[in-house]
Amino acid sequence: MKRTVLIMLSFSLLFSLSSSLHHDQETEKQQEEWQKEKNAKLLIFGEESYEDLVSSEHGKLRILKPFAELSPMLQGITNYRLGWFEAEPLTFLVPTHTNADSVFYVVEGEGAIALLHEGNRESHVIEKGDIMRVWAGSIMYLINKSKNQKLKLARLLRPVGNTASFQVFQSAGSEEAESYFRGFSTEIAEAALNTPREQLHQLFGHQSRAAITKAPEEKIRAIAQQAYESETRPWPFRRSNKPFNLLNKQPMYKNNRGKLLEADRNDYEQLRDLNVRVTFTNISRGSMLAPFFNTRAFKLAVVTKGSGYVEIIYPEEKEWHKEDEPQRQTEERYTRVSSPLSQGSVMVSPPGHPTSIVASKEQSLQMVCFEIQAESNEMVFIAGKNNMLSELEKEAKELAFGVAAKVVDEVLRGREEEVFMAGPWEGKGGEKLVRPLMESVVSFVEGV
Ligand SMILES: *[C@@H]1O[C@H](CO)[C@@H](O)[C@H](O)[C@H]1NC(C)=O
Ligand SMILES: CC(=O)N[C@H]1CO[C@H](CO)[C@@H](O)[C@@H]1O
């Protein structure tokens, strides 16, 4: 009897919903789309959010606009910047230094990097999966020694002095930027370098060379050779930047639905003062990363390969009036930021915000993530076998969800898998998860 009432109730609810949908359907839909797009722009960024520092046929050097400019939700990481470097095979990036401490991850390719610091030259061979720290002010140049592969680096930068202003200083001039020597007065340059101005002009004058240039193979080979040799020589550096390969590390989690690799300051001491953890996530096609949140860290993810989508939940305060109460009330509601992801997309999951990432049916989704404020951070899963909520006591479960603890367990532990699981594409999840809850609601109503 009561069941019939419930069913009638839900029918009438459905009916009123559908009739209100018909009303003004077009504009509502448009508004919804517009709102969705606006929401997505709070935490997911594409091509248009980058500024190009260098862009030529031989390579690209670009930087994401300051977070404070991109979104009011990212005030907490305003003094970090995200960079992207891409070079064609057999190229050379002219020596530069920046005002930022940084860590980069080699997304693709292989090459060699040289750093001038502590009165010496430190060179390293770099390859896919390497994480490497570069100190602010170290003069850096690099080459791609591969003949057929691009070299791609994702780089997290933290300008010194708590500022978002990232600055590059180039010793040799190029089409994109002149040499900083040109900034000095001729008198100072002549005196400091003990060179007549005509010769200075030859060295630092107008350059037709690009910042990333094609280089003759023998020069590339010579620089690469130096890098190999330098790694076996005695080490003069107090602060070495020797890279750490993340892909060779044992995964944190792994099953046939995906893989998560993490490097923190215990693996690479150089990450300590940056307070950053670097991770690589590979979600198999058709699968998803279980909903989770980070306790302290901002997760800054760059999609390096594949496609899929992300959902991030954030609370939004809405003000409303109760009819007979003049006082204004506020109510917390949750809004979903949802956006497709493809190669090059950048996504930020702020601390505490429940997030889930899904790979497309066709391709696995690969991401490199910089987790900012990594110290004492925990990644908390809210679905799957290791669901944190299943740690609630029986009584607390019943009080919190208003149904029998057994039912809560069935839903919260609804999955045999943890961390990586079947995505929504496979359709089974809905049936398995929702039915017990629906039944429990019905029996709960019947029992009243
Ligand atoms: C990512 O996973 C797919 C299969 O799920 C695999 O083919 C691919 O090699 C993996 N890539 C990396 C870099 O782990
Ligand atoms: C010039 C140079 O060092 N080229 C090397 C680039 O990398 C490939 C693949 O490892 C080598 O075969 C080339 O000799």
Side-chain angles (χ1 to χ4, degrees), residues 156-225:
L156 182 74
L157 302 133
R158 189 184 60 185
V160 174
N162 272 342
T163 162
S165 158
F166 168 67
Q167 284 150 345
V168 181
F169 300 87
Q170 215 167 290
S171 51
S174 70
E175 277 169 355
E176 291 86 0
E178 61 177 13
S179 160
Y180 52 71
F181 283 110
R182 298 255 297 166
F184 287 111
S185 62
T186 315
E187 295 74 35
I188 287 277
E190 268 183 329
L193 298 168
N194 193 23
T195 307
R197 65 180 66 187
E198 302 72 48
Q199 221 174 323
L200 285 179
H201 190 74
Q202 201 185 348
L203 215 61
F204 305 119
H206 180 73
Q207 299 282 348
S208 54
R209 177 163 33 91
I212 303 171
T213 57
K214 204 84 184 165
E217 210 176 312
E218 66 278 6
K219 290 211 165 100
I220 296 278
R221 192 169 297 143
I223 295 175
Q225 189 57 34

Side-chain angles (χ1 to χ4, degrees), residues 25 98 197 239 269 279 329 334 371 402 448:
Q25 204 171 24
T98 71
R197 65 180 66 187
R239 303 178 304 183
E269 168 64 25
T279 72
Q329 310 240 348
Y334 296 95
E371 293 180 4
V448 169

Side-chain angles (χ1 to χ4, degrees), residues 83-86 104-107 126 142 151-155:
W84 182 260
F85 171 81
E86 209 174 295
F104 66 73
Y105 175 83
V106 182
V107 172
I126 50 174
L142 47 84
L151 176 67
K152 293 184 187 172
L153 312 179
R155 190 171 174 194

